[in-house]
Amino acid sequence: MFYHAYEHYLESAFPYDELRPLTCDGQDTWGSFSLTLIDALDTLLILGNVSEFQRVVNVLQEGVDFDIDVNASVFETNIRVVGGLLSAHLLSKKAGVEVEVGWPCSGPLLRMAEEAARKLLPAFQTPTGMPYGTVNLLHGVNPGETPVTCTAGIGTFIVEFATLSHLTGDPVFEDVARKALKALWKNRSDIGLVGNHIDVITAKWVAQDAGIGAGVDSYFEYLVKGAILLQDKELMSMFLEYNKAIKNYTKFDDWYLWVQMYKGTVSMPVFQSLEAYWPGLQSLIGDVQNAMRTFLNYYTVWKQFGGLPEFYNIPQGYTVDKREGYPLRPELIESAMYLYRATRDPTLLELGRDAVESIEKISKVDCGFATIKDLRDHRLDNRMESFFLAETVKYLYLLFDPDNFIHNDGSVFDVVITPYGECVLNAGGYVFNTEAHPIDPAALHCCRKQKEEQWEVEDLMREFYSLKKNKKFILKRAADHGEGEGAKDPEDASLEKGGEKRNSKKNSHSLLSCPSQSFNSKLAVLGQVFLDNT
């Protein structure tokens, strides 16, 4: 299935974002980034195709440019482009790519991910810290841009942006992502729910429907995944509070409805296909029994139609007008993969088999796989979304491949030497972003530098000469950014005892965490201290 879609994309649609499978041509949809290629890159490695992975890495380095006059979705660019590039960057050594010295703290794909993410930063410059939904990649936020953004479009950055901050040493990405998450938390209703769309200037809720589906979904997902990735208790406690309110107000007989965020009264008794990620998320916090019960409800809908309609009216047991389509979404398959890892229940493999059969039978065409426009009569639409190769096929493959490296339980791993010491990678525990791009959480502990810790030349020289005179001095440290940043080396501690404070206008800057290497090599590694004109 993967290669039928992928090869036709390369033949008929590249360098456009997406394949149009009924007319065998391509179209730009979310920007102009050859999006399907970026989205499919880590799937290639999961399928074991290292040679094509290596080829595509070279193609992307040569061909993708973010300095373009295009209005792009901040959310979609983050999850598909930034997420896809970060994941491919962290997997590139495993795929046999020759990585540069300093990897995983540097590399061409990481630089591309950082460049793309920087293009999104202007969107976060609002009074609330909640981002606009759209940004122009060349000019920033357009003057007439609507300030109304959906909740997911505000709360779905912490996985990619915290990873970027930890790898590059620039805290700005994680900072803006956290600020946005906290702004949503601060604006929840008295009964603990968030709505669907909010004004990012005034923080007034514009759409007050609360639920777990479209417009909200990945905000909850990223509280859990951010908590796991960063070992962050605050994010997890936020999610657990929301989880209580969701159970209290939106859950009925293992279905989740839409309710008014302030009153808790039912506004739409509808199941949306995007909600099917929820059982997988429940399994991540260990709530496997509830997850299975909800999953089985959703699976009955799949069996009724051979796919999940975008909206399904629960009391009537049928599709909702104008929402009868199935664009080959991954969410139910994603939940099946997580739950199968947790339970080994063969029912989950049956869903996988049904999904393969349905998609093959209904949506396969000569040039790929087409979106199903209407599940009632199986009419097709001329579109193949990039998430079909990024997510749907990947989760199906991982459901049926228990020995895939992604499922590693920590029994095998790689040790990499970085400029900041030894570092364990590829030990498993991958955290999938909401576009199914796996992030190796161990990588976040490999790169112990922070931009603000890089010395200015005068600072560096002063310390160099004071060391030569054998003076004792204090190493001031920046605020702890995640595990590993604030851990003191024994050498630091001995230097601190009774030392004199540095009298510098840069006193707020942390200076030096002492990796085991000579001063000269440290200078060579951090050469950008002299060259970095930012």
Side-chain angles (χ1 to χ4, degrees), residues 79-211:
I79 67 170
R80 302 188 195 215
V81 178
V82 179
L85 291 169
L86 279 175
S87 174
H89 163 71
L90 291 174
L91 292 170
S92 50
K93 191 173 172 115
K94 188 168 192 63
V97 174
E98 250 189 58
V99 296
E100 62 185 51
V101 178
W103 181 91
C105 312
S106 66
L109 294 176
L110 178 61
R111 287 189 285 276
M112 286 173 71
E114 183 180 1
E115 187 193 348
R118 281 203 191 282
K119 296 287 189 181
L120 306 180
L121 288 179
F124 289 84
Q125 289 168 5
T126 64
T128 61
M130 295 188 278
Y132 284 95
T134 306
V135 73
N136 182 286
L137 298 182
L138 210 52
H139 308 300
V141 178
N142 290 320
E145 189 55 54
T146 172
V148 177
T149 307
C150 71
T151 304
I154 293 164
T156 310
F157 294 93
I158 192 70
V159 169
E160 299 82 3
F161 276 28
T163 301
L164 256 182
S165 282
H166 281 72
L167 294 180
T168 63
D170 188 343
V172 66
F173 301 107
E174 184 173 346
D175 289 348
V176 298
R178 279 187 185 276
K179 190 175 177 192
L181 282 179
K182 285 177 179 168
L184 285 172
W185 173 249
K186 196 175 94 185
N187 287 293
R188 70 196 187 283
S189 71
D190 289 344
I191 59 174
L193 296 170
V194 285
N196 211 280
H197 284 73
I198 194 169
D199 185 312
V200 299
I201 305 297
T202 64
K204 293 274 181 291
W205 288 100
V206 176
Q208 299 183 357
D209 295 304

Side-chain angles (χ1 to χ4, degrees), residues 362-407:
I362 303 171
S363 96
K364 188 175 186 179
V365 292
D366 288 346
C367 269
F369 291 87
T371 285
I372 300 166
K373 190 175 192 169
D374 192 328
L375 278 165
R376 298 168 304 175
D377 59 14
H378 296 173
R379 276 181 301 145
L380 300 178
D381 216 352
N382 194 16
R383 186 166 186 194
M384 185 181 83
E385 292 247 23
S386 71
F387 59 63
F388 179 66
L389 294 180
E391 301 185 76
T392 311
V393 175
K394 182 185 287 154
Y395 284 132
L396 272 171
Y397 193 84
L398 288 172
L399 173 63
F400 291 115
D401 183 11
D403 301 322
N404 198 279
F405 75 87
I406 288 286
H407 297 315

Side-chain angles (χ1 to χ4, degrees), residues 235-262:
L235 295 182
M236 187 58 87
S237 70
M238 282 184 199
F239 175 77
L240 294 173
E241 280 299 306
Y242 280 130
N243 199 29
K244 277 186 216 158
I246 287 162
K247 277 183 176 164
N248 283 343
Y249 292 100
T250 75
K251 188 178 183 186
F252 296 87
D253 291 341
D254 300 308
W255 294 97
Y256 293 84
L257 312 183
W258 288 84
V259 302
Q260 213 283 341
M261 67 178 285
Y262 293 106

Side-chain angles (χ1 to χ4, degrees), residues 321-444:
D321 192 39
K322 307 253 187 325
R323 293 284 188 277
E324 306 92 351
Y326 172 56
L328 310 182
R329 288 198 190 280
E331 282 76 15
L332 192 63
I333 300 158
E334 170 189 354
S335 283
M337 184 211 66
Y338 280 115
L339 282 166
Y340 188 67
R341 302 299 303 164
T343 66
R344 305 289 172 185
D345 185 327
T347 311
L348 298 153
L349 297 179
E350 288 168 23
L351 174 272
R353 180 201 58 203
D354 290 354
V356 170
E357 288 175 356
S358 290
I359 292 168
E360 282 275 301
K361 181 165 175 272
I362 303 171
S363 96
K364 188 175 186 179
V365 292
D366 288 346
C367 269
F369 291 87
T371 285
I372 300 166
K373 190 175 192 169
D374 192 328
L375 278 165
R376 298 168 304 175
D377 59 14
H378 296 173
R379 276 181 301 145
L380 300 178
D381 216 352
N382 194 16
R383 186 166 186 194
M384 185 181 83
E385 292 247 23
S386 71
F387 59 63
F388 179 66
L389 294 180
E391 301 185 76
T392 311
V393 175
K394 182 185 287 154
Y395 284 132
L396 272 171
Y397 193 84
L398 288 172
L399 173 63
F400 291 115
D401 183 11
D403 301 322
N404 198 279
F405 75 87
I406 288 286
H407 297 315
N408 181 7
D409 61 1
S411 50
V412 292
F413 53 86
D414 300 323
V415 176
V416 179
I417 307 299
T418 77
Y420 312 98
E422 263 188 9
C423 164
V424 171
L425 286 176
N426 301 325
Y430 293 93
V431 174
F432 285 103
N433 88 334
T434 195
E435 190 77 3
H437 295 306
I439 301 291
D440 184 346
L444 275 66

Side-chain angles (χ1 to χ4, degrees), residues 260-279:
Q260 213 283 341
M261 67 178 285
Y262 293 106
K263 301 176 193 153
T265 50
V266 174
S267 58
M268 285 192 299
V270 161
F271 158 60
Q272 302 176 343
S273 64
L274 282 169
E275 294 168 18
Y277 77 98
W278 188 257

